[in-house]
Amino acid sequence: MTVAAQKRGAPQRRSALLAAIAAKNAEGLIAVIPDIKCISPKEGNLLSGRNPVEVARQLVSYGAPILSVVTEGVHFGGSTSLLADIVHAVPVPVLRKDFITTSEQLEETKSLGAQAVLLICAMLDEHRLQTLYALALELGLEPLVEVCALDEMKLAKDLGARLIGINNKNIASLEKDEGGPTRTAELAPHAPKGAVVISESGIHTPADARIAALAGAHAVLVGTALWRAPNMQTLFDGLVIERGGSSCGQ
């Protein structure tokens, strides 16, 4: 039996992040998770002089139940100090997004105060994925297992992952492609029963969020579109779709 399998046999408390998604779903709505990132490899600088910590506070005031913070520095302009600053600035759970490959990074994530961490199937072999998943649980971190293909969805199922992210873009090319929520529509029906599904990247409009919601996504993670929007709050509000697929204002 693998370490991850042993973990599946132990009772697990619902994390703050899962509870936040569940609370939004209980209102009949999809959860919108803003992605705090400074640079898009495709679109360039996203801040335009804005303070990301202040923007994080604003997004929470709009109703964001969770925030995602990109800490990868070379391509996305993030940092662990930004993560720590946002964790201390907002009262909602924070997910760390990075290319996590070592136990030291998980321990660092915990020490910085994040409640969840991204584990990307495409970046990890099966053994390393199992090891990091089990350690994240031991540390009290909620692992978001990211998939972009059916074989990776099977890996997530074998792990017993209760939080699965479907990346609508190709992370190997730093998400420079034009991927959209059709990938969520293809893969979400294959998610293990009881798993919470987040549709990541390529969500630009309420119509995109609607496709994800109809496919079964419990949440959408949105970055560049919010940062590029003429009015961030207007787009955020429009993305809050009923889980049946309608806009909450309809």
Side-chain angles (χ1 to χ4, degrees):
M1 180 182 292
T2 66
V3 175
Q6 292 171 351
K7 280 291 174 185
R8 289 201 302 272
Q12 298 174 21
R13 289 182 58 192
R14 186 161 66 179
S15 66
L17 186 141
L18 286 174
I21 295 174
K24 190 60 66 175
N25 292 167
E27 299 175 31
L29 304 173
I30 200 165
V32 178
I33 305 173
D35 199 26
I36 308 297
K37 62 180 177 181
C38 302
I39 295 171
S40 161
K42 182 179 179 181
E43 302 289 341
N45 186 291
L46 297 177
L47 297 183
S48 300
R50 291 171 288 188
N51 182 326
V53 179
E54 289 304 315
V55 173
R57 289 193 182 102
Q58 290 171 7
L59 287 160
V60 172
S61 76
Y62 301 159
I66 299 160
L67 292 179
S68 164
V69 179
V70 179
T71 59
E72 196 280 332
V74 176
H75 303 288
F76 294 92
S79 66
T80 54
S81 61
L82 176 61
L83 174 64
D85 288 345
I86 290 176
V87 165
H88 288 101
V90 301
V92 300
V94 175
L95 162 73
R96 180 187 183 182
K97 283 182 64 184
D98 206 325
F99 301 130
I100 302 294
T101 58
T102 69
S103 58
E104 288 79 11
Q105 287 174 297
L106 290 181
E107 291 162 357
E108 175 186 59
T109 303
K110 179 66 175 180
S111 71
L112 291 168
Q115 287 82 20
V117 65
L118 181 68
L119 297 178
I120 304 172
C121 285
M123 299 291 175
L124 300 164
D125 62 43
E126 186 173 356
H127 175 71
R128 173 60 58 177
L129 177 63
Q130 290 174 343
T131 300
L132 294 178
Y133 183 88
L135 178 57
L137 292 178
E138 288 178 6
L139 291 170
L141 294 169
E142 185 65 53
L144 171 60
V145 180
E146 181 179 289
V147 307
C148 61
L150 277 175
D151 60 337
E152 293 176 354
M153 183 66 82
K154 183 180 184 302
L155 284 176
K157 184 176 182 179
D158 290 344
L159 277 175
R162 57 185 184 176
L163 183 62
I164 296 174
I166 298 175
N167 195 334
N168 297 309
K169 293 191 174 186
N170 183 1
I171 190 61
S173 64
L174 299 176
E175 299 181 346
K176 294 180 182 180
D177 57 303
E178 298 296 329
T182 52
R183 180 173 288 170
T184 295
E186 293 167 359
L187 295 182
H190 299 280
K193 185 178 180 180
V196 172
V197 174
I198 300 176
S199 181
E200 304 174 45
S201 301
I203 305 293
H204 298 284
T205 66
D208 292 333
R210 190 169 296 114
I211 291 171
L214 287 171
H218 300 82
V220 290
L221 191 150
V222 187
T224 300
L226 282 170
W227 289 96
R228 289 296 194 206
N231 186 306
M232 187 177 279
Q233 183 170 8
T234 298
L235 179 56
F236 179 89
D237 291 343
L239 293 171
V240 182
I241 298 296
E242 290 182 0
R243 286 212 63 219
S246 301
S247 169
C248 66
Q250 295 177 345

